[in-house]
Amino acid sequence: MPKHLPHDDYITAVCAALDKTGPEVKDGRTDDCETRGTYCYLNAVIELDMLTVGLQDEWPHGLLLIWEWHTGIEAGHGEPERGPVWQFAELKDDGSNEHPTDLPVHGYASPEAVAEAARRVASREIQAGSPLGYGQWLGWTGGIIGGSWERADELDAACAAWAADETP
């Protein structure tokens, strides 16, 4: 039986919001990830079903939403600072992806905010691989979408407790 991770309930809530408003979830999973031999971050990958919003021709191989929470212990080595971030990436025909781009939501965004941002990415209102630089979005001037999840403090505490148990 897989162990329960701190972000499982959050990602379940995000998937439910996506399924309610589209694009629906094709696959979603959570994990704790290993870098440089140490378990250093939590992540979730949500693959969206573009057929449910009639955009399968626009996104022939799919669209991913990625959530990561980093401990920050490797920030000096180029890894992200402590905390959460949402990103999106277009899938390629071989199943890989390129240029994950920050999603314009809070790291602990409400599930509805993530769903709204995903709809805007799906319609190409927000575009991946922006030449404008890290944290800027091609075609999007609307700033951060929505607010934080009502259980953000609880999730942050659970992620911090996980980090204390998992990192040296």
Side-chain angles (χ1 to χ4, degrees), residues 7-91:
H7 58 308
D8 285 347
D9 294 341
Y10 176 51
I11 300 305
T12 297
V14 168
C15 289
L18 287 160
D19 284 343
K20 182 178 179 181
T21 62
E24 292 177 10
V25 175
K26 186 174 187 177
D27 184 33
R29 57 195 171 281
T30 61
D31 201 358
D32 51 355
C33 294
E34 184 176 357
T35 60
R36 296 193 182 100
T38 305
Y39 285 97
C40 298
Y41 67 99
L42 298 166
N43 85 331
V45 177
I46 301 169
E47 184 179 351
L48 300 177
D49 185 350
M50 304 315 287
L51 182 62
T52 63
V53 288
L55 294 172
Q56 66 276 12
D57 292 336
E58 183 73 19
W59 297 90
H61 307 294
L63 174 64
L64 296 179
L65 297 180
I66 304 158
W67 182 86
E68 293 183 353
W69 187 93
H70 289 263
T71 62
I73 63 172
E74 294 178 338
H77 300 285
E79 294 294 323
E81 298 291 329
R82 183 179 185 93
V85 64
W86 275 101
Q87 296 181 313
F88 67 95
E90 185 169 359
L91 278 170

Side-chain angles (χ1 to χ4, degrees), residues 60-126:
H61 307 294
L63 174 64
L64 296 179
L65 297 180
I66 304 158
W67 182 86
E68 293 183 353
W69 187 93
H70 289 263
T71 62
I73 63 172
E74 294 178 338
H77 300 285
E79 294 294 323
E81 298 291 329
R82 183 179 185 93
V85 64
W86 275 101
Q87 296 181 313
F88 67 95
E90 185 169 359
L91 278 170
K92 295 170 41 177
D93 62 351
D94 64 1
S96 66
N97 67 77
E98 285 186 8
H99 308 296
T101 302
D102 285 355
L103 196 61
V105 296
H106 297 285
Y108 297 123
S110 72
E112 296 76 19
V114 176
E116 177 63 22
R119 282 192 301 280
R120 292 176 184 270
V121 169
S123 69
R124 302 272 189 195
E125 191 174 341
I126 301 168

